[in-house]
Amino acid sequence: MLTELRIQDFAIIDQLELSLGAGLITFTGETGAGKSIIIDALGTLLGSWVDITMIRTGADRSIIEGTFYPNANIRAPIHEILKREDLLDDPDHLILAREIRRSKRNIARVNGHSVSLALMRELGEYLVDIHGQSEHLSLLRVPQHLELLDRYAECEPQLEDYRQTYQKLKDTHRALNTLKKLQEETARQIDLLNYQINEIETAKLRPGEDDELLVERNRLSNAESLVSLIQKTLMALDESTPQSLAFTDLLGQAVENLLALSRIDPSQKEIAQRAQNLSDTLTDLTHDLRNYLETIEFNPSRLEQVEERINLIQDLKHKYGNSIHEVLAFADQARKKLETFTTAEERQVELQVREEHLLNDLTEKGLALSKKRHTTSDVLCRSIEQELADLRMSGTRFGVDIQMTSDPNGVPLPDGKRVVFGPHGFEHVEFLVAPNPGEGLKPLTKIASGGETSRLMLALKHVLVQADQTPTLIFDEIDQGIGGRVGATVGLKLWTLARQHQVLCVTHLPQLAAYGDQHYHVHKLVQEGRTVTRLESLSGESRVLELAQMLGDISEGTLRSAHELLQTVQTQTTNLSIGSTET
């Protein structure tokens, strides 16, 4: 609810601070004192368009600020919006501010942060309904009519059951569409996958094969150089000439000499052994070189085969991965994907059966919802018309238009027709009204503004008190065109409504004002040659005086009537409170 309202330099209001509680809050005062200006300022705070002429003469800007306490009914959607915009500073309070400037752009703030006017309106729709000259009515937003009807009919369990089936159907339909799109490319994809798998499998790749082939290609392409180098090495190591002995022969002589030396001087036996080891190593080296020489061949045909194999592997890497391992992994994935294609037809049949079953289930649940809505709408219409009769609008008729729209792709009905369906069911719901006897029912959004509209809204709010979750309701001069007796009826209905909502009401009727849990007197005065609006909280004798003055000139009779009026209201509301508690 609205807990604080601060207004600065708006119209004839120079400075106003208002603390508000729960229940019914009434504002009284002479015409032109500024009562409706307070409501206009609140509408401006909630995002209504405002002209710069509303800035107080001599001031550069107007500032309006309100502190709201979101109750449990609206806290979740309010927090969702604030989190979305990164504005959730205090989960228990919400501060809106509007600054209207003469020469610069206007500023809207939420919790101290600048925001767009659209966001201000979005939040305002959850916080306050204003019924009067500046409309801010949730009941005039047609999309909310279905939601209000469902809450009035207590359809939440059935609606939640319907929504679960609806979501399952949407998920199934989405999966089926995805599968159908997939199947449109199935033939081309299967051919491509088969080609890719066959190409990789035909190559018969081995991990590490590419490195082995590079080594072999290097040896084949350099065979002549390798043979020449080995032969020269073997000649130096193991082949003697008339002019010189081979290195192995020379080393053999050295070994024989060192062995003879060690027999003479055993201390040099280790040197002789080292020489023998060197000779054995040289023999092994010569043997290994001769074996290697036998593996080297001049084979242009084999070199060509190796080159082709290397090029094939490089081509596969270019297509499917940077290594043989990645190429083989690609083939595995392709086989798995191919398997999904081969089972797609079975999956499609399964999804189609599931979709048909869910559609039939949705039809059953949607028709149950529809039946409850139609039944409840009749009760709602009778209840609202009774409320309107209490408010001296007995000729007014109220209706609920519930329509289904044909759609060849919609949900099937028992009569064979198909209709549009959505997350809330099959129907479009709109409230209708005929304010005058003999006139046809027209959309609620087309009705005239003024006191008649406010009374109609009061009747709707009174009947839909459980369904309507807007915490703060404002009625500006709801008493236009009605007398004191009806005013008392309106006052009692407002007081009853205020047990579950915070209700602000601007009124000229003492019979209505007497029901206020808080009562403010609005008056204007001249200070230093300027007209200003002042607000006074009334209680006790000051309230009696205000009600007496509203009844006529202050006299013993009007004072006595004011006392009696407050006593009657006190007795009536106390009895209602006791009765409500006992119930």
Side-chain angles (χ1 to χ4, degrees), residues 282-475:
L282 187 60
T283 299
D284 292 340
L285 174 62
T286 303
H287 182 266
D288 290 343
L289 284 173
R290 293 189 185 280
N291 288 338
Y292 177 58
L293 182 61
E294 291 178 0
T295 65
I296 298 173
E297 60 178 336
F298 295 97
N299 192 338
S301 176
R302 175 56 185 168
L303 178 60
E304 184 178 351
Q305 291 175 357
V306 171
E307 292 281 5
E308 289 178 355
R309 184 67 175 173
I310 290 173
N311 290 336
L312 172 63
I313 293 174
Q314 287 300 113
D315 183 54
L316 293 175
K317 286 181 181 180
H318 179 72
K319 292 180 181 179
Y320 307 119
N322 295 320
S323 66
I324 289 179
H325 176 76
E326 291 184 12
V327 173
L328 294 173
F330 182 93
D332 287 338
Q333 290 298 320
R335 291 187 197 97
K336 292 177 183 177
K337 192 172 183 180
L338 186 61
E339 185 178 347
T340 64
F341 280 124
T342 59
T343 59
E345 187 173 345
E346 296 177 8
R347 176 61 175 161
Q348 183 176 352
V349 172
E350 178 186 329
L351 288 173
Q352 287 172 336
V353 171
R354 176 176 172 78
E355 183 181 45
E356 184 177 356
H357 173 75
L358 288 170
L359 268 173
N360 292 333
D361 193 18
L362 197 71
T363 298
E364 182 180 341
K365 293 175 180 177
L367 289 175
L369 263 178
S370 181
K371 182 179 179 180
K372 192 166 187 179
R373 286 166 178 165
H374 279 278
T375 302
T376 305
S377 68
D378 294 337
V379 177
L380 175 64
C381 291
R382 289 194 297 269
S383 299
I384 290 175
E385 288 174 357
Q386 181 59 54
E387 291 287 330
L388 291 171
D390 294 343
L391 298 171
R392 292 289 178 91
M393 293 178 68
S394 57
T396 301
R397 291 173 55 224
F398 186 84
V400 179
D401 184 37
I402 303 177
Q403 296 287 342
M404 294 184 184
T405 304
S406 296
D407 183 351
N409 298 315
V411 68
L413 299 181
D415 61 4
K417 294 181 181 178
R418 286 181 174 266
V419 296
V420 171
F421 65 98
H424 305 290
F426 307 158
E427 294 94 359
H428 170 81
V429 171
E430 184 171 7
F431 294 159
L432 307 176
V433 66
N436 301 305
E439 294 185 3
L441 290 165
K442 296 179 182 179
L444 190 64
T445 55
K446 304 294 184 183
I447 61 176
S449 61
E452 190 177 66
T453 301
S454 293
R455 276 182 281 161
L456 177 57
M457 291 303 163
L458 174 59
L460 287 167
K461 293 287 186 181
H462 199 260
V463 173
L464 296 171
V465 63
Q466 298 291 347
D468 188 2
Q469 296 180 348
T470 309
T472 299
L473 311 177
I474 299 176
F475 294 89

Side-chain angles (χ1 to χ4, degrees), residues 238-302:
D238 205 33
E239 296 182 10
S240 299
T241 65
Q243 291 80 17
S244 62
L245 294 174
F247 185 73
T248 52
D249 293 337
L250 292 173
L251 183 58
Q253 292 179 1
V255 170
E256 290 178 1
N257 291 334
L258 288 173
L259 287 172
L261 183 148
S262 66
R263 286 193 291 271
I264 298 172
D265 183 357
S267 65
Q268 298 303 309
K269 186 176 182 180
E270 191 268 338
I271 291 178
Q273 186 60 47
R274 285 164 56 191
Q276 183 62 54
N277 292 340
L278 182 59
S279 177
D280 293 341
T281 300
L282 187 60
T283 299
D284 292 340
L285 174 62
T286 303
H287 182 266
D288 290 343
L289 284 173
R290 293 189 185 280
N291 288 338
Y292 177 58
L293 182 61
E294 291 178 0
T295 65
I296 298 173
E297 60 178 336
F298 295 97
N299 192 338
S301 176
R302 175 56 185 168

Side-chain angles (χ1 to χ4, degrees), residues 515 561-575:
Y515 282 89
S561 295
H563 273 292
E564 291 174 353
L565 184 59
L566 286 172
Q567 174 120 26
T568 299
V569 168
Q570 179 66 33
T571 301
Q572 191 177 33
T573 55
T574 300
N575 290 337

Side-chain angles (χ1 to χ4, degrees), residues 21 101 113-114 136 165 195 225 238 268-269 323 343 369 382 397-399 456 458 489 492 497 512 523 550 577 579:
R101 302 178 176 185
H113 303 277
S114 294
H136 197 270
T165 302
Y195 173 81
S225 298
D238 205 33
Q268 298 303 309
K269 186 176 182 180
S323 66
T343 59
L369 263 178
R382 289 194 297 269
R397 291 173 55 224
F398 186 84
L456 177 57
L458 174 59
T489 302
L492 180 59
L497 189 62
L512 193 160
H523 63 281
M550 293 175 73
S577 296

